[in-house]
Amino acid sequence: AQTVTQSQPEMSVQEAETVTLSCTYDTSESNYYLFWYKQPPSRQMILVIRQEAYKQQNATENRFSVNFQKAAKSFSLKISDSQLGDTAMYFCAFIDQGGSEKLVFGKGMKLTVNP
Amino acid sequence: DADVTQTPRNRITKTGKRIMLECSQTKGHDRMYWYRQDPGLGLRLIYYSFDVKDINKGEISDGYSVSRQAQAKFSLSLESAIPNQTALYFCATSAPGGYGWGEQFFGPGTRLTVL
């Protein structure tokens, strides 16, 4: 079964700094997608960024980028120029294409951006 | 208007009561999901449905049942609520293929407390 591990339960960073959130996963599949979801205090789940496993290029979305290391099964999220609004729970998630097609989540990580 | 809606948003009930959580979507997606979120455990899949006639158990289906009344509606029932079902419940939808495959769109969540 696929598993997703977020080893850091909590982090804090100063506004405008850069922070990296780590995620590792375990799968025997070769075709899959990875996601980072953000859950602010409003509790809404918001997609931050996605990465297709077949793409070697790391995905970027404005201040958010990933470091996808397929061989190491690592998928970290880098947040540049952190803002107070980035304070949230962050969940890493995995879905395999052609298998169970169910989204598997990590346990989440609480990020606090301090002024 | 929100694409995925959940009712109620908050609910307090007593042990042994039957309760239904409802989810509606206007995204036209065939696939719908129910998750529960507990602190430190991430999101865990309760049930999922890939179309109106397809219902599948997730990893934690015991004590829950679902009904897919239409493509746009997917309800979760707790036949006899117990305190350890106190959690945040999310409904989600996804498209079966094409660009954006795998991404799930979440409702605002229902905070359920069982006393």
Side-chain angles (χ1 to χ4, degrees):
Chain A
Q2 292 94 351
T3 58
V4 177
T5 302
Q6 294 179 251
S7 58
Q8 307 152 300
E10 195 166 351
M11 291 182 73
S12 62
V13 65
Q14 293 301 118
E15 200 173 5
E17 290 183 346
T18 294
V19 62
T20 299
L21 286 58
S22 64
C23 173
T24 59
Y25 58 95
D26 187 25
T27 183
S28 58
E29 301 292 330
S30 57
N31 297 318
Y32 52 87
Y33 290 73
L34 294 158
F35 304 89
W36 279 98
Y37 279 87
K38 168 185 177 180
Q39 186 183 42
S42 67
R43 79 190 191 198
Q44 180 70 49
M45 294 289 289
I46 302 165
L47 179 68
V48 175
I49 200 164
R50 61 181 285 145
Q51 174 78 43
E52 293 87 342
Y54 66 86
K55 290 187 176 180
Q56 293 185 340
Q57 186 173 6
N58 289 323
T60 61
E61 287 288 342
N62 301 313
R63 297 183 296 107
F64 299 88
S65 62
V66 299
N67 183 4
F68 174 47
Q69 301 289 328
K70 191 172 183 178
K73 296 180 183 177
S74 171
F75 182 59
S76 60
L77 174 69
K78 186 172 80 170
I79 305 174
S80 303
D81 186 26
S82 297
Q83 300 176 359
L84 297 178
D86 295 332
T87 293
M89 287 290 294
Y90 287 82
F91 294 93
C92 180
F94 164 99
I95 187 168
D96 68 86
Q97 190 173 19
S100 67
E101 298 189 15
K102 292 183 288 185
L103 199 57
V104 177
F105 286 88
K107 293 183 178 182
M109 173 279 189
K110 183 177 180 181
L111 175 68
T112 301
V113 179
N114 297 307
Chain B
D1 289 339
D3 295 320
V4 184
T5 58
Q6 292 182 234
T7 56
R9 293 293 309 277
N10 297 279
R11 180 72 182 267
I12 300 174
T13 191
K14 294 182 178 180
T15 297
K17 294 291 187 181
R18 183 179 189 277
I19 185 168
M20 179 181 287
L21 308 183
E22 298 185 334
C23 176
S24 295
Q25 54 113 347
T26 59
K27 299 191 73 68
H29 290 165
D30 289 327
R31 300 183 173 193
M32 298 187 73
Y33 310 81
W34 275 105
Y35 295 91
R36 68 175 277 175
Q37 181 182 3
D38 298 277
L41 296 179
L43 277 76
R44 293 180 293 166
L45 184 63
I46 306 173
Y47 271 96
Y48 63 104
S49 170
F50 282 0
D51 66 44
V52 175
K53 296 181 180 180
D54 176 75
I55 303 288
N56 304 281
K57 292 182 177 180
E59 61 179 305
I60 54 164
S61 59
D62 286 349
Y64 302 95
S65 62
V66 291
S67 173
R68 186 81 184 265
Q69 301 95 325
Q71 185 206 38
K73 296 184 182 295
F74 193 36
S75 300
L76 176 72
S77 293
L78 288 68
E79 297 300 325
S80 180
I82 57 176
N84 77 359
Q85 291 177 313
T86 293
L88 182 57
Y89 290 84
F90 284 102
C91 174
T93 73
S94 70
Y99 179 77
W101 183 91
E103 178 183 351
Q104 294 189 8
F105 298 83
F106 287 81
T110 294
R111 172 73 67 187
L112 176 65
T113 302
V114 183
L115 302 176

